[in-house]
Each structure stands twice: as structure tokens, then as C-alpha cells.
Amino acid sequence: METPGRTAATPDALDFTVENVEKALHQLYYDPNIENKNLAQKWLMQAQVSPQAWQFCWALLSPDKVPEIQYFGASALHTKISRYWSDIPTDQYESLKTQLFSQIACFSSGSKMVLTRLCVALASLALNTMPEAWPGAVAEMVRVFQEEGGGVDGRARCLALLELLTVLPEEFQTSRLPQYRKGQVRGALGQEWGSVCPLLQQLLRRTDSPGAVKARVLRCLSSWVLLDVPLSESEGLVHDCFSALPDPELFDTAVEAIVNAISQPDSQRYVNTLLKLVPQVLALQEQLREAVQNGDMETCHGICRIAVTLGENHSRTLLEQVDHWQSFLALVNMIMFCTGIPGHYPVNETTSSLTLTFWYTLQDEIMSFESDKQAVYLQVYRPVYFQLVDVLLHKAQFPSDQEYASWSSDEKEQFRIYRVDISDTLMYVYEMLGAELLSNLYDKLGRLLTNAEQPTSWQHTEALLYGFQSIAETIDVNYSDVIPGLIGLIPRININNVQLADTVMFTIGALAEWLADHPVMLSSVLPLVLQALGNPDLSVSSVSTLKKICRECKYDLPPYATNIVAVSQEVLIKQIHKTSQCMWLMQALGFLLSALPVEDILRNLHSLITPYIQQLEKLADETPNPSNKLAIIHILGLLSNLFTTLDISKQDDDSVDGTAPPVTTTPPPPGPNPVVVVLQQVFALIQTVLSKWLNDSQVVEAVCAIFEKSVKTLLHDFAPMVSQLSEMLGQMYSTIPQASALDLTRQMVHIFASETDHFPPIKALFELVTSVTLSIFQQGPRDHPDIVDSFMQLQAQALKRKPDLFLSESLDVKAVFHCGILSLKFPEAPTVKSTCLFFTELLPNCSDVPPLARVVQEDGKLLVQAVLEGIGGGASRSLMDQFAEVLFCMNKHCFSLLAVWLKEALQPPGFPSSRVTAEQKGNFSHQILRERVNRRRVKDIVKEFTLLCRGLHGTEYAAEY
């Protein structure tokens, strides 16, 4: 073999001869060297689009060539016709068409893959020439192939014609025709259906038609109906498709054709045809039942698809035909049979999941009628939907323990997703059935649990509870009169199985808000939750339920607090739960402790935290290694999560992590906040840990998280810690700068910069981290996009909360400004966004802060140039709104300067892009300067200009923008 640099296949890059193409194809298929294969592939792609392709493609189709070579010839023909149509002279259309007809005739009994490519090539030619240059194209195709001759037997000719007629609409769907031509050609194809339909009918109805021909006819029909052929015109053929369903060889293609025909958007206009289809679908019930008995999943699936497609696409139309209400109800019941098909999904059946969206659609249509009409339909369909609930809960039941154990993990996961889909459907159905649905479920559960004579399976109980949980999770059930009874029934359940226990937990969790309004019932369910906490198999359900109860019912939990803390401590010490559940548990305890008197909080915190503090002291003495790092991060995480929710101010909980500001607060009790007391006690220990782990960003992040979560939750209660934390942060950041320290500084600036008492330490910290970061910029900030991002966010926050910080002589405002300009050119979008935010905060403050005004006056042009560079193509298009905001701010706050800067910056040719003319630049500048009020308009102007700069204006990319 020759060297890859100069392969046997490519003696001359432009020598696209038959011989060289064959060599390249041989190399592509048979050369073991992947580099040679890639070179051959590249060369062949060039060959396919070269002018020489017209010569070699016909030669490659010669009967003495192997199919792979013939296939390449046919593909090259299709490429030339479909993509380079304008290169073909008009006077050659006829000869090209004749040659293609002749080749298709030759290959009709040859290689199937070559025949298909030739048919696609002729289809492409037809689409480019109809209706003007080749009127009646389809009629001619039919005629040519029906003529005897050419030594090709009739069956092969017939199959070739059907292949051609099948690929024609498919090629139309994927063709690159301009929009106006697409409309013309679609119209022409619609008229040609008159030539196709009788042929397909004749072939389907002839008793001597071979199975292969009938299958191809059905595929052909499928292809044509996607062109929106009127359902009334394909009615006879669709009827023939139903007749083909009993034939196992034709079943799949017949289903596809029927489904495609009745799901066309236009088909709902043909009410009479649809009404005729209903009895045909109902007539399939016998075949469906046989398939179920024989375990024939494919047939069940196909028949169900037909019934669901008719119901889902046409429920409105069929509901409105009041005289035929019984036949539509029969169709609905047939779909119900498919929903409740025997067997467990997805192991014994895969059909029932197809039906779920139908029930949504039918409900939407019924509920959309005006009230009088709706009442009539509800009379008929409410009982149907109650039956649906029974069917769905039956389908949601777990199989026997033995059977479930034999399922693969993939089957179990599919079943889990299926149950979620059922849960969503039940929640939706609740909108129609209302409170009666809950009563219905409660009665069933009550009968099940109180009937001593009949032993019940845990699966049945679990499914009913799952129904309750599905509804209670998202719907306000506070008004329901059955919930007290349900809570009363829960302790009677014999929980002897993990799945049942999980559902009991999740059901209790779903009722947490109800329990907050009925705290007397807590004593019935809390013991169950606390007992479940000790079971690792119930980790997620028990911990999330306890967290919900502690969040919703915290003011009613003090009597149970000692017990909850004791059980939680025990499971934490025994390490029963994984890390994320341990964090949730700490959040639960934070909620719980928030409602206790301060002395009780401190006592509980002491017993809860002491073991971890002791462990942390031990770890702090050890030499750093990967395992003790994980242990340190785990303990710091537990403290963070506890402090996230431990909030003694009485406030509405807007969010679990305390990020939302308090809505209503009452003054906290006097004395230091318990969280601050604990933080002050462990502060020295945390400093020790930091001193050893300052190089490790994850440990630093975990330390910062404790304080950040505490600051967010405590707000001004954090005040006693400000001074020592500011000092520690400064030391940390000076030694090894990390983004998490900047984020915590930002949080401190946000809350304390405006307070006179705390301004000095905050000011000192702000100046220190700014100075350290400026030195990073001098050394080269490209390796630290996270630090740059956090730094810009910090500067923006300082400008927003306390612009006076920029009056300090210790702060190099000019250097900060220049860092911003550098940061605008970073490739990371989040960094650029934060930088734009910095500038939009800086510009409005120029009038009040002289150092800012000076730097903008001196260097504002650099900012304009950097923004224009980004708009011109230097930055991602997703950032254009942010750049527009900066320009808008400049226009608003330094208009006369911006006019000069824009003119000077846009002066050099080729800036910000070689694709825009001086006139277009002038126009952009004029438009920007004119808009000082309408922010939205400035964004549109910038988007328009960036598309011009990138050469995308008027393209499909622009349409998506």
C-alpha cells in the first residue's frame, strides 16, 4: 500500500476518472488503515460534486461492476441533480430523464440499494421539472413502467414503479426547493394523486398480487398521505388497508399507512369518512383479543396505535357527532381495554403506555364545551373516567416479589417512569372528577384494610396509596373531608415491603401542608417516619418526608423535637444515609430547631454538633489526604445545610435555601443568634482546617458555603461575625485567591456595606480582594475565568449597594475599569455577562462618584471598542442583549461622549467586521444614538447589526435568532 500522504486512490487531486473512483471505493471499503479510508472518503466526496461526475457516474452503473461501485454512481447522479440542478442545460432534461428510466428498468431485477438510489435521482429530477417542464410526470412514470418490453418481467417492473412512486413524496419532504417552488410542486403532486390512487387500489385488490407487491403498495400509500392527500380521496385505499391487517406479512405496513392517513392535520375536515372509519376500527376488537390471548405484543401494539390515533386526533369531531355518540363511546371503551391490557408493563406488554395522552385529549375536549353541553358529556364520560382510575391503579401495581426480583434494572426503571406517567394522568383526571375521586379512593382503601376475612396483597394497598399521593402532591387537598380518615388508616397498614413503605412515606410527605393545618394528626404518622429513618432502603422517602413535615409543621413540632433530634442523631452516627440524604436531614433539623426557644436550640445544637466538631478537630490535626478531605467536606456540608434552614425570625418560608428575602418578619428574641454562637465557637477550628487546606478549592468552597448560607439566612443577625470573618476572608484570599471567597465577600457587601458600624471591615476587605485580583490581572487572568467572573459580580454589587467604596484613594478605579475591558473579551459567556453587569452598574454612578466619571471620560472609548468588537463577531451571539445594555447605559449617562466614541471607533475600515460597509456602520451608530428610552429597540438594533457583521443576515440562522 502506498503512503497515506499520496494514496493509490488519489494520483492527482482533480483526476476524477472511472478508474480512480473505483480505486478510491476499494480503499474505502477494504483498506484496513483508517487514515487511508478517511482520505478516500474525502476524495470521493469531492469527486461526487465535480463536473466529471456526469461522465463517470454512468460508467459506474455498468452491469459488470459490483453493487458498491454502482451505488456510488447512482448516488453521484442524485447529488448532481438535487444540489446542482442549475448546472444542467434545459435541452438535456429529456435525455437525462430517458437515461434514468432506462437504468431503473435495468436495475429493477438487480441490486435493490442501487435501484432505490436511481429512483431517488429520477424523483429529484421530477421535482425540479414539474409542473412546467414535465407536466403529468407521475402519469408518465406509470405509463412507462406498465408498457411491456425490455426483457424485464412484469413483477420486477411493478416493484420498480412502486419504489419510484414511494420515494417521490419522501424526496419532496427533504428537498432543498425554495419556498415558492415547494408550494407549486406540492400542488402538482396533489393533482398527480389521481394517477397513483387507482394503480394502488388495483394492485391491493387483485387476488394474484404477490405479498411483496402489496407490502410496497402500503408503503407507497404511507408516503403519499404525508402530502396531505384528502382523506376522502384515499378512503377506499384506507379501507383496503384494514382488509390487509389479518395478513401477518402486511400487518406492520398496513398499520403505518392507516395511522399516517388518519393523523394528517387536514383529515378532520372529512367527517363522513371519519365516521365510516370508527366501525372499521371497532371491528378489530376480535383480532385484538386473540392477540392478547396468544401474547402477540406486536399485533396488540399495532391495533392499539390505530384506535388511539383515531381517538386522539379526532375526539372533538367525533364528540360533536351526537347522533353517533354510542359508536364513539365504543371506541373510547376499546381504548380503555388497551389501557388495561393484561400483563405487567414493560415485561408482558408495551401497549398501555400508548393510550395515556388520549385520556388527556378527550378530557380537554369535553371540558372545553360550554357548560350546558359539557354537563351532557360529563354524564356519559365521568363514569368512564372513574373506571379509568381503577384501570390505571391496577396497571400501576407492582408484580409479585418473586417476579419483580427477576426483572432487569432497565425494566424496573421503565416501570418506574410508567408509574410517573400514570401519576401525572391521575392528577390531570382529578380536574374532571374532583373531590369525589378522593372519596372513591378512600372507600376502596378503607374496605381493603378493614376486611379481616379477605387477605389483601400489599400491591393493591400500595397502588391505592400511590393514587392518593399522586393527587395530594400537587393539588391542594386541605378542604377534603377524607384526609383525616386516610391518616387514621395509615397506621393500620401492614408494612412488610420496601415499595409499600416508600409509598406510605411519600404519601405522608404529600400531606405535610394538610398536617400543618391539622397538627393533632401528627402523632399518628410521625412515629412511622422516625421508624423508617433507620432503614437504609427507605432513605430518600423517609428523609424527604421528615424534611417536608419539619418545614411545614415546625411550629407544632416542639413537643416531638427531642425525639426527632435523638433519632436523627442516631441515624447520622450510624451513617445509614448517603451524603445527599444526610444534608436533607440537617435541613430538616434546621427547620425543626427554628421554632424552639433559644436555650433549647443551643442545647440541641450542642448535642447535635459536638460529635462532628470533635471529629473535625481530629481531622484538622492529620496530614491532608484524599480520604480525610472527603470527611472534612462532609462535616462542613452538614453544618452548611443546618444553618441554611435554622432561622429564628418568624418569616414566611419562600425558599428552602433561604435565598428569597423574608416576606414578613417579627423581631428575633434578644441575645446573639444561636447560629452565631456556634460559629464563634468553631471559628478557630475552621481557621485551623483552612490553614492546612488553603490550596484545595473544594475545602475552601465548603468553608465559604457555611458562612454564605448563614449570612443569607441570618441577614443582619450575622453582624457579630462581620469583623472576624472579613479578616479571615482577607487572609485566605491574599494567600490563595479563590472564587468562592469573592462570592462570600459579595454577600457581605450586599448585606453590611451600608451599615455604618460594619463599613470599615467591609471596606478594608473589599479593597484588599480588589488589590489582590488586580495583581492576578497583571500576571495574566486567562487561567482564572471563575475568579474574573466572581470579581466582576463583586464590583457590580459594590456599585449597586455602596458606590462610596469607589471614593477611596486606596482603590485603583482605573485599573478595575481596565480589568473590565479585558474581561469583556473572555471566551466564557458567564464571565462576559458579569462584566456587562459591572459596566451597567458603573455608568449610572458617574455623576455622583468623581473617580468613576474621570475614568469613563478618559477611557470610555476603549469600552466602546471592546463592546463593538464583541458585537462584530468576537463574542457569542447569546451575549448581544448584554452588550446592548452597556450601549444603552452609555447613551443614557454619557450621550455626547458616546456620539464621538462611536464615530471614532467605527472609522477604521474592516472594524468591527469586514462584512459591513461604512454606510451600514453609520446607520447603526445613528440608530443607537437615537434610542435613549426604548431598551428593547436597542437590543433589536444590536442583533440586526451583529447578523450583518457575521454575514448571517437574511439566512436561516437569522430566522432562529
Side-chain angles (χ1 to χ4, degrees):
M1 197 71 215
E2 296 182 30
T3 57
R6 187 162 173 83
T7 69
T10 55
D12 180 342
L14 297 175
D15 197 3
F16 297 126
T17 61
V18 175
E19 186 189 4
N20 283 340
V21 169
E22 288 194 44
K23 280 182 187 171
L25 283 164
H26 189 275
Q27 194 166 323
L28 178 68
Y29 287 118
Y30 304 112
D31 194 322
N33 182 325
I34 193 74
E35 215 173 314
N36 287 350
K37 279 181 184 293
N38 290 341
L39 275 170
Q41 167 91 355
K42 208 169 176 183
W43 187 88
L44 285 164
M45 284 169 79
Q46 290 175 312
Q48 212 171 22
V49 300
S50 69
Q52 294 94 311
W54 286 117
Q55 280 76 51
F56 69 65
C57 60
W58 299 109
L60 294 176
L61 287 165
S62 166
D64 59 340
K65 305 290 184 196
V66 293
E68 287 87 350
I69 288 174
Q70 293 171 331
Y71 180 81
F72 183 77
S75 287
L77 260 175
H78 173 243
T79 302
K80 297 299 282 182
I81 293 170
S82 62
R83 287 168 56 188
Y84 300 94
W85 178 254
S86 55
D87 297 352
I88 306 171
T90 319
D91 58 359
Q92 286 186 23
Y93 291 175
E94 202 56 41
S95 64
L96 184 57
K97 180 170 65 174
T98 310
Q99 279 177 291
L100 279 166
F101 268 130
S102 146
Q103 288 291 348
I104 289 171
C106 294
F107 278 92
S108 59
S109 35
S111 162
K112 170 76 173 67
M113 66 176 185
V114 180
L115 173 67
T116 300
R117 287 322 284 161
L118 288 167
C119 287
V120 172
L122 182 55
S124 186
L125 183 142
L127 296 174
N128 278 299
T129 50
M130 65 185 352
E132 299 89 355
W134 190 3
V138 175
E140 186 177 336
M141 291 173 186
V142 174
R143 195 184 67 252
V144 168
F145 281 96
Q146 280 183 333
E147 287 168 358
E148 298 292 329
V152 181
D153 74 80
R155 179 167 174 265
R157 266 204 328 276
C158 178
L159 286 169
L161 170 61
L162 287 169
E163 184 64 21
L164 176 57
L165 292 177
T166 303
V167 299
L168 183 61
E170 290 169 357
E171 180 68 5
F172 171 75
Q173 306 286 7
T174 57
S175 68
R176 302 175 176 209
L177 295 170
Q179 209 52 47
Y180 79 95
R181 278 282 296 147
K182 274 220 160 183
Q184 283 179 341
V185 175
R186 182 185 280 278
L189 285 170
Q191 288 171 344
E192 298 277 16
W193 173 243
S195 306
V196 179
C197 184
L199 170 74
L200 299 184
Q201 263 184 325
Q202 181 193 346
L203 290 170
L204 260 188
R205 290 174 185 177
R206 275 176 58 169
T207 46
D208 59 343
S209 281
V213 169
K214 286 186 174 180
R216 198 67 61 81
V217 167
L218 293 167
R219 260 193 58 216
C220 187
L221 172 61
S222 258
S223 180
W224 276 83
V225 294
L226 294 175
L227 289 173
D228 287 339
V229 168
L231 189 60
S232 56
E233 291 178 23
S234 59
E235 184 184 324
L237 268 169
V238 173
H239 181 78
D240 295 336
C241 293
F242 277 95
S243 309
L245 287 170
D247 184 337
E249 282 182 32
L250 302 178
F251 181 80
D252 289 341
T253 36
V255 167
E256 209 56 48
I258 294 168
V259 165
N260 285 346
I262 56 184
S263 54
Q264 282 313 298
D266 193 46
S267 55
Q268 59 201 32
R269 288 168 43 202
Y270 305 99
V271 178
N272 289 333
T273 306
L274 291 171
L275 287 171
K276 287 182 207 167
L277 285 172
V278 176
Q280 288 183 279
V281 174
L282 294 174
L284 300 173
Q285 288 179 98
E286 194 48 49
Q287 192 179 349
L288 176 61
R289 284 200 180 86
E290 276 176 32
V292 169
Q293 277 170 352
N294 301 332
D296 177 354
M297 283 163 74
E298 281 73 20
T299 302
C300 293
H301 205 81
I303 292 175
C304 174
R305 270 186 73 199
I306 293 171
V308 167
T309 304
L310 183 59
E312 211 171 290
N313 287 282
H314 304 292
S315 49
R316 178 91 189 183
T317 310
L318 294 169
L319 277 168
E320 284 175 334
Q321 308 314 304
V322 219
D323 296 344
H324 300 270
W325 70 272
Q326 282 168 308
S327 65
F328 182 57
L329 182 58
L331 178 68
V332 171
N333 284 323
M334 180 178 175
I335 296 172
M336 180 79 78
F337 176 80
C338 296
T339 304
I341 211 154
H344 286 288
Y345 182 96
V347 178
N348 321 108
E349 64 90 6
T350 54
T351 298
S352 57
S353 61
L354 297 178
T355 65
L356 297 179
T357 48
F358 163 74
W359 298 108
Y360 284 79
T361 308
L362 178 61
Q363 180 175 321
D364 284 346
E365 297 299 1
I366 291 170
M367 302 309 276
S368 70
F369 287 117
E370 61 275 11
S371 54
D372 295 355
K373 216 171 182 183
Q374 193 187 102
V376 178
Y377 285 112
L378 285 175
Q379 227 173 340
V380 177
Y381 286 100
R382 265 176 74 89
V384 173
Y385 272 84
F386 274 113
Q387 187 194 344
L388 173 67
V389 171
D390 292 345
V391 167
L392 290 175
L393 291 177
H394 181 72
K395 292 298 292 181
Q397 282 187 29
F398 278 88
S400 69
D401 295 340
Q402 191 181 354
E403 194 183 333
Y404 190 65
S406 72
W407 285 12
S408 69
S409 58
D410 187 44
E411 285 166 341
K412 287 176 179 174
E413 177 58 10
Q414 282 186 55
F415 181 59
R416 186 192 68 76
I417 294 166
Y418 174 67
R419 276 172 51 101
V420 171
D421 291 342
I422 285 178
S423 171
D424 292 344
T425 311
L426 288 170
M427 188 182 76
Y428 204 74
V429 166
Y430 180 84
E431 288 181 29
M432 181 194 268
L433 301 181
E436 200 182 329
L437 172 53
L438 289 177
S439 308
N440 188 299
L441 291 175
Y442 173 64
D443 292 344
K444 288 194 170 75
L445 189 62
R447 282 199 297 276
L448 206 61
L449 296 175
T450 52
N451 187 345
E453 294 155 32
Q454 209 176 353
T456 60
S457 70
W458 70 262
Q459 287 91 339
H460 200 165
T461 309
E462 189 279 336
L464 282 168
L465 272 180
Y466 185 67
F468 259 114
Q469 177 209 323
S470 304
I471 294 159
E473 238 167 7
T474 45
I475 284 159
D476 179 10
V477 293
N478 276 9
Y479 63 86
S480 171
D481 54 359
V482 302
I483 305 296
L486 171 65
I487 300 267
L489 283 175
I490 286 176
R492 300 183 65 143
I493 297 171
N494 176 22
I495 303 176
N496 53 2
N497 171 281
V498 169
Q499 282 91 4
L500 175 58
D502 252 340
T503 303
V504 169
M505 282 303 111
F506 284 126
T507 306
I508 295 169
L511 295 170
E513 283 185 42
W514 184 91
L515 286 165
D517 290 338
H518 306 82
V520 70
M521 305 300 282
L522 278 166
S523 56
S524 304
V525 290
L526 252 181
L528 289 172
V529 179
L530 295 178
Q531 189 186 346
L533 273 184
N535 184 342
D537 291 332
L538 304 177
S539 181
V540 173
S541 60
S542 62
V543 174
S544 69
T545 296
L546 182 65
K547 182 179 157 185
K548 282 180 179 175
I549 289 175
C550 289
R551 185 180 65 207
E552 300 299 336
C553 313
K554 62 183 175 189
Y555 299 115
D556 302 297
L557 289 177
Y560 310 97
T562 310
N563 199 8
I564 295 173
V565 172
V567 173
S568 301
Q569 265 187 292
E570 190 185 341
V571 299
L572 284 165
I573 289 163
K574 288 183 179 170
Q575 297 183 341
I576 282 172
H577 301 289
K578 291 185 179 160
T579 300
S580 54
Q581 274 71 53
C582 291
M583 302 306 159
W584 290 0
L585 190 49
M586 279 303 206
Q587 287 186 17
L589 293 171
F591 285 125
L592 173 75
L593 297 181
S594 302
L596 300 180
V598 171
E599 57 276 15
D600 290 355
I601 297 178
L602 286 167
R603 195 181 67 253
N604 278 297
L605 278 177
H606 181 73
S607 68
L608 191 60
I609 291 174
T610 302
Y612 294 111
I613 301 304
Q614 289 167 349
Q615 207 180 335
L616 196 58
E617 282 170 343
K618 192 163 150 289
L619 290 164
D621 287 341
E622 293 175 11
T623 311
N625 67 59
S627 69
N628 60 23
K629 170 184 163 174
L630 284 177
I632 287 171
I633 289 174
H634 180 75
I635 293 170
L636 295 173
L638 291 174
L639 294 176
S640 281
N641 280 279
L642 178 63
F643 298 156
T644 298
T645 54
L646 207 172
D647 182 8
I648 58 171
S649 65
K650 299 268 195 300
Q651 65 178 55
D652 298 342
D653 295 303
D654 256 33
S655 66
V656 176
D657 63 7
T659 48
V663 182
T664 55
T665 55
T666 55
N673 188 293
V675 172
V676 171
V677 173
V678 172
L679 284 175
Q680 285 174 328
Q681 286 169 357
V682 299
F683 198 81
L685 173 58
I686 287 175
Q687 281 182 303
T688 311
V689 170
L690 260 183
S691 64
K692 286 204 174 169
W693 289 90
L694 209 46
N695 277 317
D696 192 294
S697 63
Q698 288 171 301
V699 175
V700 171
E701 218 167 284
V703 167
C704 289
I706 290 184
F707 293 106
E708 195 174 349
K709 297 281 172 63
S710 305
V711 170
K712 278 181 175 176
T713 310
L714 301 182
L715 301 171
H716 298 285
D717 278 2
F718 190 80
M721 297 287 300
V722 169
S723 186
Q724 59 191 132
L725 180 58
S726 298
E727 195 180 330
M728 184 180 92
L729 267 177
Q731 289 166 355
M732 270 167 64
Y733 196 73
S734 306
T735 317
I736 294 177
Q738 304 214 6
S740 50
L742 287 174
D743 294 335
L744 179 50
T745 304
R746 186 179 84 241
Q747 202 66 41
M748 302 265 284
V749 166
H750 174 63
I751 294 167
F752 295 107
S754 305
E755 296 192 6
T756 319
D757 295 352
H758 303 299
F759 185 67
I762 294 287
K763 178 175 180 280
L765 173 62
F766 179 71
E767 287 174 4
L768 178 61
V769 297
T770 299
S771 150
V772 171
T773 313
L774 291 178
S775 62
I776 293 176
F777 269 91
Q778 282 167 352
Q779 292 153 22
R782 270 305 302 118
D783 298 336
H784 308 284
D786 56 336
I787 289 181
V788 174
D789 186 352
S790 294
F791 179 65
M792 284 298 141
Q793 288 187 49
L794 167 63
Q795 297 295 322
Q797 185 68 269
L799 284 160
K800 190 174 185 175
R801 301 294 290 184
K802 193 70 174 169
D804 291 5
L805 286 165
F806 290 81
L807 290 169
S808 166
E809 287 178 11
S810 315
L811 196 79
D812 189 341
V813 176
K814 195 179 181 75
V816 173
F817 188 88
H818 280 260
C819 290
I821 287 166
L822 272 177
S823 309
L824 277 181
K825 299 175 186 180
F826 268 48
E828 292 82 7
T831 305
V832 180
K833 278 186 181 176
S834 301
T835 309
C836 288
L837 178 68
F838 160 65
F839 283 117
T840 55
E841 291 292 350
L842 181 147
L843 291 159
N845 279 299
C846 287
S847 51
D848 303 324
V849 184
L852 294 177
R854 268 198 306 278
V855 75
V856 169
Q857 216 151 3
E858 289 165 16
D859 296 329
K861 183 182 168 186
L862 296 174
L863 173 58
V864 172
Q865 283 171 326
V867 168
L868 289 173
E869 202 176 306
I871 295 170
S876 158
R877 272 164 51 206
S878 65
L879 293 163
M880 291 310 113
D881 278 0
Q882 281 75 24
F883 285 126
E885 287 281 0
V886 176
L887 285 177
F888 181 73
C889 269
M890 294 185 91
N891 204 15
K892 206 169 175 183
H893 299 285
C894 36
F895 171 72
S896 52
L897 289 168
L898 179 63
V900 176
W901 293 332
L902 273 176
K903 190 176 179 182
E904 289 175 5
L906 290 168
Q907 198 71 46
F911 182 84
S913 160
S914 55
R915 292 191 178 92
V916 283
T917 63
E919 187 186 348
Q920 287 169 323
K921 291 196 280 188
N923 188 29
F924 168 70
S925 174
H926 177 67
Q927 286 180 306
I928 289 288
L929 292 167
R930 207 173 52 201
E931 292 296 342
R932 298 180 68 183
V933 179
N934 190 337
R935 186 183 258 106
R936 180 73 262 154
R937 178 77 190 108
V938 173
K939 289 179 180 178
D940 291 341
I941 294 163
V942 168
K943 280 183 181 175
E944 189 85 3
F945 189 62
T946 198
L947 290 171
L948 284 171
C949 290
R950 295 163 199 259
L952 296 174
H953 200 268
T955 64
E956 58 193 283
Y957 295 103
E960 292 162 14
Y961 193 26

